[in-house]
Amino acid sequence: MKDGVESLGRIRARGITLLLITFGVGVLAGFAVERVLAARSSPEPFFPGPGMGGPFAGDVMPPPFERLDLTPDQQSQI
């Protein structure tokens, strides 16, 4: 009889472990899907890279830098 109870305990432990692993995989998959969908629906990057153009291309400074009162030389370095 004791052998049957121990076996039931091992089966229960494996079931709980499998349930926790499944839950963890589901959380990670949901997070990954959310990140992909958020990346697809987001606007252009705040600071476009070289050659990308965008709203801050040319002589216009991004708003955070406008508040710094930079000299023209500092602006050209940015």
Side-chain angles (χ1 to χ4, degrees):
M1 182 71 180
K2 186 176 181 181
D3 195 28
V5 173
E6 289 176 3
S7 176
L8 181 61
R10 279 185 257 140
I11 291 172
R12 181 176 288 159
R14 287 182 184 168
I16 291 171
T17 302
L18 183 61
L19 183 65
L20 291 174
I21 290 171
T22 303
F23 178 75
V25 169
V27 166
L28 292 175
F31 181 73
V33 168
E34 187 273 332
R35 295 292 297 167
V36 168
L37 293 177
R40 287 185 182 172
S41 65
S42 68
E44 288 188 34
F46 185 70
F47 296 107
M52 290 178 62
F56 302 118
D59 295 333
V60 178
M61 292 296 291
F65 294 126
E66 288 178 355
R67 289 178 257 165
L68 296 176
D69 295 327
L70 301 173
T71 66
D73 186 44
Q74 291 172 326
Q75 291 179 3
S76 66
Q77 288 179 355
I78 292 175

